[in-house]
């Protein structure tokens, strides 16, 4: 399949929810990392409250009448900073049933007046469906042994209703176990199914960046599991492996073949095909939840899995590991 046809296919982020400049010849942050592959539970909390839909109260939605749109991020009401959904609860103390909303749209701060609707029980309604957090799973890519900073996913977290990057105020990674796999089929990528233990925290999330999520790792670290970092120029076509979990918490390596390298693409740098029969039989190829799975070649970490090609789930894309490391520095 040629380059043009591949990039016309539908590419799907592998993070479950319910992608800079390539370094040149020197490594951006460290020449060795602690190898990942472990499954992660992921929770991020929004910076403000995200509008994800509208509902009618009476004959219309007050939020829609106020000119708000899906994807707007509410950060203030009158003189109060909005941190989460609970800040959108209103009582009979509201003056004239009207509030001034401050929100972010396309990076710009704007304001509007919203007239609340009071129902028969005395509760004020905004007509807005909102969201202040996302929870899901992904894969740990690496930990920097010098700083305990980690990288995971290899792409940003997107809120599925709006299709926009989720602007975070905080977040955490924690223990998660894979319970089953929904296999990928043509034009229908599968997914890892998992349970969560949010009390067993592995680290914080301080950045939801274009090249992954990043933060401070506070869980137990196996510092003997070091691996050299490969520069993009060292990556070759041919045999490699990916490291991921498809059952419980067991991390295993599976064979892939690197088909092509795109050094000038922003994040889809490594085109590969899964050739491991065990992985294909159990997952159908690449599934959602494999985002961040390390790609290893010649005993070096070269990248991380980021996308699946929907019409052939045995094929996917990865990002250069040096790109993820550079984002930590930034």
């Amino acid at each position: 399949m040629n380059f043009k046809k591949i990039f016309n296919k539908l590419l799907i982020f592998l993070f479950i929810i319910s992608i800079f400049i390539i370094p040149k010849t020197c490594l951006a942050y460290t020449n060795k990392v602690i190898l990942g592959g472990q499954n992660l539970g992921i929770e991020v909390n929004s910076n403000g409250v995200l509008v994800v839909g509208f509902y009618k109260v009476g004959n219309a939605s007050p939020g829609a009448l106020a000119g708000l749109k899906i994807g707007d991020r509410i950060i203030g009401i009158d003189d109060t900073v909005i941190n989460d959904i609970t800040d959108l609860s209103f009582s009979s103390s509201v003056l004239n049933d009207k509030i001034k909303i401050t929100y972010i749209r396309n990076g710009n701060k704007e304001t509007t007046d919203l007239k609340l609707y009071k129902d028969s029980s005395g509760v004020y309604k905004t007509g807005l469906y909102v969201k202040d957090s996302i929870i899901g799973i992904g894969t740990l890519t690496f930990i920097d042994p010098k700083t305990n900073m980690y990288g995971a996913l290899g792409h940003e977290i997107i809120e599925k209703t709006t299709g926009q990057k989720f602007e975070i105020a905080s977040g955490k990674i924690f223990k998660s176990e894979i319970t089953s796999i929904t296999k990928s089929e043509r034009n229908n990528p599968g997914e890892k199914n998992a349970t969560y233990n949010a009390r067993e925290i592995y680290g914080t999330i301080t950045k939801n960046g274009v090249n992954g999520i990043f933060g401070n790792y506070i869980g137990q670290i196996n510092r003997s599991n070091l691996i050299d970092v490969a520069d993009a120029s060292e990556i070759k076509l041919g045999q490699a492996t990916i490291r991921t979990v498809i059952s419980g918490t067991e991390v295993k390596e599976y064979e892939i073949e690197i088909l092509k390298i795109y050094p000038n693409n922003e994040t889809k740098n490594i085109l590969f095909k899964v050739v491991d029969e065990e992985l294909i039989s159990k997952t159908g190829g690449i599934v959602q939840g494999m985002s961040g799975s390390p790609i290893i070649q010649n005993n070096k970490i070269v990248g991380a899995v980021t996308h699946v090609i929907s019409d052939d789930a045995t094929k996917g894309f990865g990002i250069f590991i040096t790109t993820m490391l550079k984002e930590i520095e930034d």
Side-chain angles (χ1 to χ4, degrees):
M1 184 177 290
N2 64 34
F3 172 86
K4 192 171 194 179
K5 289 182 179 178
I6 290 170
F7 277 87
N8 284 334
K9 302 296 181 183
L10 175 63
L11 299 174
I12 296 179
F13 281 114
L14 301 179
F15 175 70
I16 305 176
I17 346 182
S18 235
I19 268 173
F20 286 97
I21 300 171
I22 304 301
K24 295 182 180 179
T25 57
C26 61
L27 297 179
Y29 203 79
T30 182
N31 61 358
K32 288 182 182 289
V33 295
I34 297 168
L35 186 60
Q38 297 87 345
N39 196 71
L40 297 176
I42 298 170
E43 182 178 7
V44 286
N45 304 305
S46 66
N47 182 5
V49 174
L50 188 67
V51 177
V52 296
F54 301 95
Y55 64 89
K56 287 185 177 182
V57 286
N59 296 319
S61 165
L65 290 176
L68 292 171
K69 295 182 179 180
I70 292 174
D72 289 345
R73 180 162 49 91
I74 298 173
I75 59 172
I77 290 181
D78 293 332
D79 296 322
T80 301
V81 174
I82 297 300
N83 296 308
D84 55 45
I85 289 175
T86 60
D87 294 330
L88 290 180
S89 299
F90 304 101
S91 66
S92 57
S93 62
V94 174
L95 182 63
N96 297 324
D97 299 346
K98 185 180 287 188
I99 56 176
K100 182 177 78 172
I101 290 183
T102 303
Y103 61 97
I104 303 295
R105 178 184 294 169
N106 299 325
N108 300 314
K109 183 186 290 188
E110 303 186 27
T111 61
T112 186
D113 290 327
L114 187 153
K115 182 172 175 57
L116 298 168
Y117 176 89
K118 188 176 182 180
D119 67 14
S120 58
S121 62
V123 175
Y124 286 94
K125 302 288 188 179
T126 63
L128 298 172
Y129 288 119
V130 294
K131 177 180 288 189
D132 62 4
S133 64
I134 292 176
I135 190 168
I137 63 171
T139 304
L140 177 69
T141 307
F142 66 86
I143 304 170
D144 186 323
K146 297 178 182 178
T147 64
N148 286 4
M149 294 292 289
Y150 74 87
L153 290 187
H155 60 67
E156 61 199 358
I157 296 174
I158 298 291
E159 199 287 313
K160 65 179 182 180
T161 304
T162 64
Q164 297 178 7
K165 174 185 172 183
F166 197 69
E167 299 294 339
I168 72 166
S170 63
K172 63 183 178 181
I173 56 173
F174 48 88
K175 184 176 181 179
S176 176
E177 297 188 19
I178 302 303
T179 56
S180 63
I181 299 289
T182 302
K183 291 181 67 172
S184 286
E185 299 175 350
R186 184 179 178 87
N187 294 319
N188 188 23
E191 63 183 5
K192 296 182 180 183
N193 305 306
T195 58
Y196 304 102
N197 183 356
R199 291 176 296 181
E200 190 167 341
I201 298 172
Y202 294 155
T204 60
I205 300 174
T206 57
K207 186 175 186 179
N208 177 26
V210 68
N211 301 314
I213 60 171
F214 304 90
N216 186 44
Y217 198 89
I218 62 175
Q220 186 175 359
I221 298 174
N222 182 2
R223 295 187 180 275
S224 65
N225 196 22
L226 285 173
I227 188 169
D228 289 332
V229 171
D231 183 73
S233 63
E234 298 179 68
I235 306 172
K236 309 298 181 185
L237 303 186
Q239 184 179 6
T241 60
I242 60 172
R243 182 175 162 93
T244 197
V245 177
I246 62 172
S247 179
T249 59
E250 183 184 12
V251 181
K252 294 182 65 175
E253 287 192 22
Y254 300 96
E255 293 183 5
I256 65 170
E257 181 183 358
I258 296 177
L259 302 176
K260 199 156 187 177
I261 299 168
Y262 301 104
N264 297 319
N265 191 273
E266 187 175 43
T267 57
K268 295 182 282 291
N269 307 123
I270 304 169
L271 173 66
F272 67 89
K273 179 180 178 67
V274 176
V275 296
D276 193 291
E277 292 299 330
E278 179 187 0
L279 187 59
I280 293 173
S281 67
K282 292 182 178 180
T283 67
I286 308 301
V287 296
Q288 297 176 84
M290 285 185 182
S291 277
S293 298
I295 303 174
I296 303 159
Q297 187 180 63
N298 296 327
N299 297 315
K300 292 185 178 184
I301 182 170
V302 302
V305 176
T306 57
H307 296 78
V308 59
I309 297 177
S310 63
D311 72 342
D312 183 357
T314 65
K315 292 180 180 178
F317 282 96
I319 187 173
F320 291 145
I321 189 63
T322 46
T323 305
M324 292 184 69
L325 287 168
K326 179 64 166 60
E327 186 146 332
I328 283 185
E329 186 181 60
D330 293 340

